[in-house]
Every structure is written in structure tokens, then in C-alpha cells.
Amino acid sequence: MWFSMLRLVALSSLCFVTLGGAQAATEVTGSDIQPLATHSLVLDIAKQGETMIAVGDRGHLFRFTDSWQQVSSPSRALLTKATLLTPELGWAVGHDATILHTQDGGNSWVEQMRSPEIEKPFLDVLFFDAEHGIAIGAYGLFYRTQDGGKQWQQEFHTELLYEEDQAYLDELKAEDESLYLKERSTLLPHFNRVVRLADDRLLMVGELGLAAQSQDKGLTWQRIDFPYEGSLFNILVAKQGIYVLGLRGHLFKSEGDLEQWQEIELTTKSTLNGGLVLSDDKVRLVGNGGVVIDVASDDSVTVVTQRQGENLVAIGQDKTGTLWIAGTKGLVALQQK
């Protein structure tokens, strides 16, 4: 397993994501079509226009037409996140430092990167246009492409290190180059989620209360003084504000100034994993313990439902308006209220 004990405790509420660790060393590169795949672990739903895709366990890839259909995958790595730049162009990332690409709206996929020797998963991917994008992940994993994903170059963002860790690395580099490189690869926190805001800034959140912004597409970062030191897993951008979702029911909102965050009190202590903007005055969030909650623009909170025996990771809405939740029991339709 690639989590240290401290980080395993911090992320225990999302332990089902580490299921892919057992598959990391596999040499099998393709995923078979399986009749019950839509009922297995699904970790993300992405939509652009009328195209909607989902990704999950064992390299499973899905595309929605009138229903969810599994499509052939070039990977068996656990896939953690997907994005659609246009209804045709999309990417998916996951364990074994895997990056997949589609040019036809998720009907077919090719592998752009796979590096099991890195022993870290990608946890999110963001493209600015068809050529330029970034992929982020565990222990500060950060890669960039400038040619649509044909080539990926690693970056190490020392500006996101704590001062004492930077001082330690500077001293180590002068004494032992190989040990320096080994230590450097584990000191940064997990980068869990990155989004592009309306003003073109990037906002990234992660482990140990990491929140950082960039004004140059992630080439440089500035830490944000965030009011919580636990893990942050997702970001939801809505007209009424920017929401950051975290461990044990921690939810924060900013109305645009990324230095000012207000915590929204919830009745649940379940970790929040995903969300969807339903309207100008309401967002819907999903999390562990099957919790589904609505948060209004006045910060009032309504528990929509709680599905026992499952953890929910993502939520999406298809072209007919049906809401779909994804998690440990696969893809399930949820009636909107």
C-alpha cells in the first residue's frame, strides 16, 4: 500500500480508493467487458454537453447513452478521476500513474501513460485546451503535457513544502543526492483535486489542509491559509460560491476571496467526496455512509437521503435530468427532489 500509516488514518474514510493498490503490479493491460461492472466500484462521473462518462475499478470505463454501457479499456488499473474538455475529448487517470485518452466521447480509449514503478496514483486531471493539461496525485505527484498527452513531464513544486521540509531537503541534497531524490518524492502532501475558476486561477486542495492557488496554470503555486488541517477531497464551483469538501463532514465556502472561508455546519460527520450544482441556489453533495445532502445559498442544509451500507463518491446528471450517484455499489439512479 502506498499510504503511510499517518496518511492511512487521515484518509481511512476513503479507504475503498486504495483497493487498486493490490492491482498495481499487474502486467495485464486490458480490461474485459463484464456484465456486472456497473455495480462495482465507480469513482467518478464526468459530463460535457450530452456526453457523460464514468470510471472505476479494474480500469472500467462507462459511457451513458440511454443507459450506462461499459466500453473496452486499455487498462486494468483502478481509475480515480475523469474529465471531458469537449463532448469528444476526454482523459481518465488512476493507479500505476495511468493516463487514458478518448477522442470520440468515451467510445474508445488509448493509454497515454502508465508507470507502475512510480508507485503512486493520479487522483485528478485538468486540461486547459486540447494541448495543455496537468495531472496530479499522491505525495505531490504532478505531471504536465503540452501536446495533448503524447508526452508528460514531471514537475516538483517545492513552494508547497513546509519550510522545515524544504530546509531538510536542502541539507540532504548537499550530502546525498540519491537519498535526497528518494525523500523528495514523499514529503509533499497528496494533491486530491484541482479546478479552474472563472477568473482563470487554479485552486488545488489535498491532504493535511492543503489549499493552494495558481495564476499561471499551475507553473507556480501559493499556499492559502486554510482554516482546517484535515484532508480536503473535492472542490465545487457554483454561482453562490466555491465549496471545499473534506474529511468527517467538514464543508467550507468562499464567495470568491480564496483567503476567506466560512465553515458550514452539517449534522453529519461523514466525509464528503463529490457534488453537483443543481441550480443557482442549491448544490447537492454526496459522501461516505451513503449521505446525500443539499446546501442552499443561505447555507441551510437538508439531508436528502442516507443509503446504508455504501460510500458515495460522485454525482452527475444525464441529458434527461436523471441524477446518478457513484460509489462502492456502482452507478445508481437517484430521483431528484
Side-chain angles (χ1 to χ4, degrees), residues 74-86:
S75 174
R76 283 195 177 178
L78 175 68
L79 300 176
T80 57
K81 209 73 177 178
T83 186
L84 285 165
L85 179 68
T86 70

Side-chain angles (χ1 to χ4, degrees), residues 29-141:
T29 58
S31 180
D32 299 326
I33 301 296
Q34 299 178 359
L36 300 179
T38 55
H39 301 292
S40 64
L41 179 66
V42 175
L43 293 181
D44 196 28
I45 299 172
K47 183 184 178 186
Q48 188 65 248
E50 293 192 353
T51 301
M52 189 159 69
I53 60 175
V55 300
D57 197 20
R58 301 181 184 278
H60 291 163
L61 296 161
F62 308 92
R63 188 177 191 276
F64 187 85
T65 50
D66 295 326
S67 61
W68 286 104
Q69 302 293 327
Q70 187 186 6
V71 299
S72 180
S73 172
S75 174
R76 283 195 177 178
L78 175 68
L79 300 176
T80 57
K81 209 73 177 178
T83 186
L84 285 165
L85 179 68
T86 70
E88 292 77 33
L89 295 179
W91 287 263
V93 298
H95 283 230
D96 289 354
T98 296
I99 301 176
L100 308 180
H101 177 45
T102 180
Q103 298 185 73
D104 57 9
N107 281 307
S108 62
W109 295 80
V110 296
E111 187 176 81
Q112 290 189 328
M113 177 175 171
R114 178 177 178 267
S115 299
E117 67 278 5
I118 294 176
E119 297 183 339
K120 300 176 186 177
F122 283 119
L123 300 174
D124 200 10
V125 57
L126 173 67
F127 268 76
F128 312 111
D129 55 44
E131 300 297 320
H132 302 86
I134 57 176
I136 64 172
Y139 295 110
L141 192 64

